[in-house]
Amino acid sequence: MKDRTIRVTPPLSEEEVRAMRAGERVSITGVIYTARDAAHKRLVEASQRGEPLPVDLAGQIIYYVGPCPARPGQAIGSAGPTTSGRMDTYAPTLIELGLRAMLGKGLRSPAVVEAMKRHGSVYLAATGGAGALLARQIMRADVIAYPDLGPEAIHRLEVRDFPAIVAIDTLGNDMYAEGKRRYARPQK
Amino acid sequence: MREIHVRSVTEAVRDLCLTANCDLPPDVAAALARAREAEESPLGKQILEELLENAAIARQDRMPMCQDTGVVHVFVELGQDVHLTGGHLKAAIDEGVRQGYEAGYLRKSVVDDPIFRRANTQDNTPAIVYIDIVPGDRLSLAVVPKGTGSENMSGLKLLTPAQGARGIRDFVVEVVDRAGSNPCPPVVVGVGVGGMMDRAALLSKKALLREVGTAHPDPSTAALEREILQAVNDLGIGPAGLGGRITALAVHIETAPTHIGALPVAVNLQCHAARHAERML
């Protein structure tokens, strides 16, 4: 079943993400939100103070990206995934608030994977360093919160056929660990 | 004595920022193409294909290959018979960065105070500048925009002389293994050995300037580079860390004399774009 591509449009249901398996391809069409280090810090601090968040995260996908500025006539500049691990401190709080998927690249902490299993959230990977290629799947970008953060502001993105791979599923299966195991050779 | 106006430094840095971010260097493109042929994982092959396609789009559309257009490192070799006129060298370099990052629609990623304020300087300055005084009347500039995906996964260890080549190898493999998918493999592994802590770190970054896949001139050091490359590729991390044979495109070691009691080793990882651009004035 690993060759099938799952087409999704947020908001995602818990059943939908719990059915995904590590290694499967996902194609996203619709609205997703960006956030990276500084925006995560503000979201979590706002949540701890009991304030409403600038975006309702229930069922949504957060894309870990700080895009380049758009040239005139472009929707967005280069926009590939940043290293997800830096968001590990904050991710469990957002998952508890209903975040259904995180889109980034790289390793996650055991605490994040635990939260994903418990609340039904999935970790998707886009190809790191393919920012010019991935920008072609982003049709529109608008800053909707924290504009003072510049590239770290929260953007609302309209994407079409945005490609990703399920890196870690809701059972804790990890494509990074599995892929490495398959190709590792004993060290001499 | 040859006079060089700092204006030409500003212009060169501006152009080099644009080139380094939008044009995959030919040596790196060739290494990625070789990796695509050698990779056994179908997914890994596809990712390498995407990276080459990404580079083609970036070159054609003058878009940065990666949204993390990094902190600009500028390595200057300043001939001692050059007299710079019209201003201060570092200010001229920063002005080039400012102009290049504005003109190229490149992301501004520098914050001022690293601990508390972390406010974006809005123009990607200051650059990190290293100046070597060399013989002659030329001025050479090498520009390396470096992002945090790879930089954050780098490491340094102060080995003892008894740990030797084996200790160096084990530490490099440990750093690459721990980094996993984070630094956007296949990586270029810069290794600095010798000097003291600071020198080793600088050498590990300078090692990234070497043409990808060329060997160290010393045969023993070159053999160690090959041995470490094999060990790293045996980790199975592969393109984008999703499994495969090609975890690193190259291992480059640079060395310097050290203390009788020292063997400092620094490992600076560089992502698959391995951005760099050079010009001689």
Side-chain angles (χ1 to χ4, degrees):
Chain A
M1 289 300 284
K2 285 205 170 167
D3 284 339
R4 76 176 173 131
T5 297
I6 308 167
R7 302 194 172 278
V8 298
T9 296
L12 310 179
S13 69
E14 181 169 354
E15 298 70 47
E16 210 173 351
V17 305
R18 285 205 184 271
M20 294 180 183
R21 287 294 166 265
E24 288 179 327
R25 288 165 201 275
V26 175
S27 174
I28 308 164
T29 297
V31 172
I32 63 176
Y33 296 93
T34 73
R36 45 173 292 152
D37 310 57
H40 270 78
K41 185 165 188 280
R42 288 196 190 174
L43 287 172
V44 168
E45 284 171 358
S47 154
Q48 284 164 349
R49 287 193 300 265
E51 294 168 7
L53 301 189
V55 52
D56 179 6
L57 294 176
Q60 300 302 331
I61 300 175
I62 284 185
Y63 183 19
Y64 300 145
V65 59
C68 281
R71 283 183 184 276
Q74 277 184 331
I76 198 167
S78 197
T82 193
T83 308
S84 308
R86 292 196 318 275
M87 270 50 81
D88 283 356
T89 310
Y90 310 110
T93 304
L94 302 189
I95 292 169
E96 280 171 35
L97 291 171
L99 182 68
R100 280 284 168 243
M102 299 156 285
L103 175 59
K105 56 116 179 161
L107 310 170
R108 304 312 300 262
S109 71
V112 173
V113 178
E114 265 320 299
M116 289 165 53
K117 286 155 83 170
R118 186 172 316 127
H119 300 282
S121 184
V122 75
Y123 174 45
L124 309 173
T127 301
L133 184 66
L134 290 168
R136 292 192 161 184
Q137 309 311 125
I138 301 172
M139 304 302 136
R140 187 184 166 125
D142 298 288
V143 172
I144 57 149
Y146 313 145
D148 60 301
L149 293 180
E152 294 207 69
I154 296 184
H155 295 65
R156 176 187 183 276
L157 304 182
E158 290 179 20
V159 301
R160 189 186 298 157
D161 302 326
F162 192 99
I165 287 175
V166 180
I168 305 178
D169 63 27
T170 55
L171 299 176
N173 297 311
D174 182 338
M175 183 59 193
Y176 290 121
E178 198 183 303
K180 188 181 173 204
R181 239 189 333 268
R182 191 177 307 158
Y183 289 95
R185 289 172 164 144
Q187 289 284 319
K188 292 185 187 82
Chain B
M1 187 68 73
R2 174 171 169 242
E3 287 200 348
I4 296 179
H5 197 284
V6 292
R7 194 189 309 115
S8 55
V9 173
T10 295
E11 286 166 5
V13 170
R14 174 189 183 281
D15 294 351
L16 292 170
C17 286
L18 295 170
T19 303
N21 276 295
C22 301
D23 299 311
L24 187 68
D27 57 324
V28 185
L32 281 175
R34 285 195 300 273
R36 180 184 52 185
E37 299 315 309
E39 181 55 62
E40 292 171 23
S41 150
L43 181 54
K45 233 183 212 319
Q46 186 204 315
I47 284 159
L48 292 164
E49 186 63 45
E50 283 175 20
L51 297 179
L52 288 162
E53 194 186 341
N54 183 68
I57 293 169
R59 186 181 300 274
Q60 192 189 320
D61 294 354
R62 305 318 293 160
M63 251 177 120
M65 290 175 278
C66 177
Q67 74 292 335
D68 188 351
T69 49
V71 172
V72 178
H73 296 57
V74 182
F75 295 91
V76 183
E77 286 186 353
L78 177 61
Q80 64 181 6
D81 296 329
V82 171
H83 177 220
L84 289 163
T85 62
H88 186 253
L89 176 59
K90 283 193 177 173
I93 289 171
D94 276 341
E95 183 55 29
V97 170
R98 191 173 290 122
Q99 290 179 12
Y101 273 64
E102 196 55 38
Y105 293 85
L106 308 178
R107 197 180 81 187
K108 288 79 181 173
S109 312
V110 177
V111 293
D112 51 6
D113 167 56
I115 306 177
F116 300 108
R117 245 167 60 90
R118 294 192 69 85
N120 197 304
T121 62
Q122 307 288 350
D123 60 6
N124 220 47
T125 68
I128 296 174
V129 181
Y130 295 105
I131 302 171
D132 274 343
I133 306 293
V134 299
D137 64 357
R138 308 296 297 270
L139 187 159
S140 81
L141 296 159
V143 165
V144 180
K146 189 81 163 60
T148 46
S150 57
E151 189 76 2
N152 279 351
M153 304 317 296
S154 301
L156 186 135
K157 197 169 185 180
L158 302 163
L159 301 179
T160 60
Q163 289 174 285
R166 179 71 201 214
I168 294 167
R169 176 187 131 167
D170 289 350
F171 179 59
V172 177
V173 172
E174 180 191 321
V175 168
V176 176
D177 194 18
R178 193 172 54 214
S181 50
N182 289 6
C184 289
V187 292
V188 175
V189 184
V191 184
V193 183
M196 290 288 186
M197 188 183 83
D198 53 330
R199 188 84 192 274
L202 181 54
L203 284 172
S204 71
K205 189 154 276 174
K206 279 191 169 173
L208 303 176
L209 287 169
R210 200 201 298 170
E211 194 176 316
V212 169
T214 53
H216 192 279
D218 171 66
S220 304
T221 309
L224 183 59
E225 288 176 340
R226 288 194 298 274
E227 184 189 334
I228 296 175
L229 179 61
Q230 183 64 56
V232 160
N233 283 334
D234 284 345
L235 289 170
I237 293 167
L242 293 164
R245 298 284 173 225
I246 314 292
T247 300
L249 299 173
V251 173
H252 295 166
I253 301 175
E254 294 293 327
T255 63
T258 188
H259 187 276
I260 48 175
L263 184 59
V265 182
V267 182
N268 196 219
L269 297 183
Q270 174 65 296
C271 69
H272 52 66
R275 297 170 292 193
H276 62 90
E278 292 81 14
R279 186 181 291 182
M280 179 87 84
L281 299 179

